[in-house]
Amino acid sequence: MMIGRFLIRRFLWMIVTLWVVFTVSFFLMRAVPGGPFDRERQLDPQVEANLRARYNLDKPLWYQYLSELAKVAQGDLGYSYRLGDFRVSEIILQGLPISVAVGVVGLGVAIALGLSAGCISAAWRGSAVDVALMILATVGIALPSFVIAAMMIILFVFLIPLFPAAGWGSWYHLILPGFCVGAPYAASIARLARTALLEIMSQDYIRTAYAKGLGKSGVVLRHGMKLALLPVISYLGPAAAGILTGSVVVEKIFCLPGLGVHFVEAATQRDYTLAMGLILTYTVLLFVLNTIVDVCYRLLDPRVEIA
């Protein structure tokens, strides 16, 4: 019952957030110098006038805002300015599965590598392995995904040709982009998991488990891991958000036909409708992911109250 009320409140807040994001994005895009039909080669004045009339760009700004808001409220994102034969919803539906696939691989890499490194470091605190893993985690946090992408291309495409450099065709093309997106977040998860486990390992019930004859791995996995997951679960909300938005650059580097390529082109070419559709899509995804994380946190620890 509590979770149901929480989800209703979150849905209402999502509607308000979408309206605020739409409003801010709409006026910021119109405030930038230039327009969607400014090109190196000038259009015929009559052709440009017809295009501006088609997209209501010849109307006052307040009319454009209310007209676009009414369409978005009905679920109509309109047609792309640059890809006039395609609706924005069609472009998003084509690119979203690829971006989600990259994000899922990246999140899987972050969780698997981060939790493994954090558990090993906590179990063998102060050892050479602990120091080496934490140095790697610090380097991973400092390096942005596009730097990691360049390093991975040099290493696993040119020096050791194991993966394709770019393109899309199978799951094989997702390994390098997914790793590059997830690696910085794996480093943060490793540090969080290590800190949480070290605190838990000093508790009385952990000492009792050792006294009963359980080995180190059994104590860590059976008794310490559940509570150590709580700060990691809390971090997964912003981590998932960062992986989705961070994949924009990585998709461009690896030439994946996901939302990232369309996002960059929409921004550089002043494609207002496509840019707005992508911004709202990312907003919904981030809101849903953070809501899922909050619900999971409540299920793991019933003492936590979600609001």
Side-chain angles (χ1 to χ4, degrees):
M1 192 70 179
M2 180 184 295
I3 293 179
R5 291 197 299 268
F6 166 75
L7 292 177
I8 292 174
R9 287 197 301 270
R10 274 299 176 92
F11 177 75
L12 295 176
W13 272 114
M14 185 179 71
I15 299 300
V16 175
T17 302
L18 286 172
W19 171 69
V20 172
V21 169
F22 174 87
T23 302
V24 172
S25 302
F26 179 90
F27 288 106
L28 281 179
M29 283 190 286
R30 267 69 175 181
V32 175
F37 307 119
D38 294 341
R39 304 177 183 177
E40 293 182 4
R41 183 179 178 181
Q42 287 288 89
L43 291 173
D44 181 89
Q46 186 59 47
V47 173
E48 184 174 351
N50 290 339
L51 287 172
R52 294 180 67 83
R54 178 187 179 186
Y55 294 104
N56 290 326
L57 294 177
D58 57 340
K59 301 291 195 302
L61 194 59
W62 64 267
Y63 181 90
Q64 296 179 42
Y65 171 75
L66 294 178
S67 175
E68 291 296 323
L69 182 60
K71 290 180 181 179
V72 169
Q74 297 172 16
D76 181 9
L77 298 175
Y79 284 88
S80 168
Y81 285 13
R82 292 292 183 173
L83 305 172
D85 294 333
F86 292 92
R87 302 186 71 87
V88 171
S89 56
E90 294 174 344
I91 297 172
I92 292 174
L93 289 176
Q94 289 175 5
L96 184 60
I98 297 173
S99 293
V100 169
V102 174
V104 168
V105 173
L107 195 60
V109 167
I111 294 173
L113 292 182
L115 286 179
S116 300
C119 289
I120 293 171
S121 292
W124 284 275
R125 179 183 182 183
S127 66
V129 174
D130 178 26
V131 173
L133 288 175
M134 288 303 100
I135 290 175
L136 280 176
T138 303
V139 173
I141 293 173
L143 290 178
S145 57
F146 62 86
V147 174
I148 298 175
M151 295 168 59
M152 292 298 102
I153 289 174
I154 293 173
L155 182 59
F156 292 111
V157 175
F158 295 110
L159 298 180
I160 309 174
L162 294 178
F163 302 103
W168 172 249
S170 68
W171 64 269
Y172 209 52
H173 291 83
L174 290 174
I175 296 177
L176 279 186
F179 178 82
C180 296
V181 169
Y185 297 93
S188 297
I189 289 175
R191 293 174 67 89
L192 282 173
R194 179 182 183 274
T195 302
L197 270 174
L198 288 177
E199 183 178 350
I200 292 168
M201 298 294 281
S202 63
Q203 301 295 320
D204 291 337
Y205 74 94
I206 296 294
R207 287 192 287 269
T208 302
Y210 277 122
K212 289 181 178 179
L214 286 178
K216 183 176 291 187
S217 59
V219 171
V220 171
L221 295 177
R222 291 176 55 186
H223 295 279
M225 200 61 193
K226 182 177 179 180
L227 289 179
L229 282 176
L230 292 178
V232 175
I233 291 292
S234 297
Y235 178 72
L236 287 182
I243 285 173
L244 280 174
T245 54
S247 67
V248 170
V249 177
V250 173
E251 286 177 22
K252 188 70 174 176
I253 293 173
F254 288 97
C255 297
L256 295 176
L259 295 184
V261 175
H262 294 302
F263 212 148
V264 173
E265 292 181 353
T268 56
Q269 298 180 4
R270 306 288 196 276
D271 193 336
Y272 295 154
T273 51
L274 181 56
M276 182 64 75
L278 292 171
I279 290 170
L280 294 179
T281 299
Y282 277 117
T283 303
V284 172
L285 286 174
L286 303 186
F287 218 99
V288 170
L289 288 170
N290 279 302
T291 301
I292 292 174
V293 166
D294 288 341
V295 172
C296 290
Y297 200 97
R298 165 70 180 179
L299 295 176
L300 280 173
D301 189 355
R303 296 171 301 174
V304 176
E305 294 197 8
I306 51 179

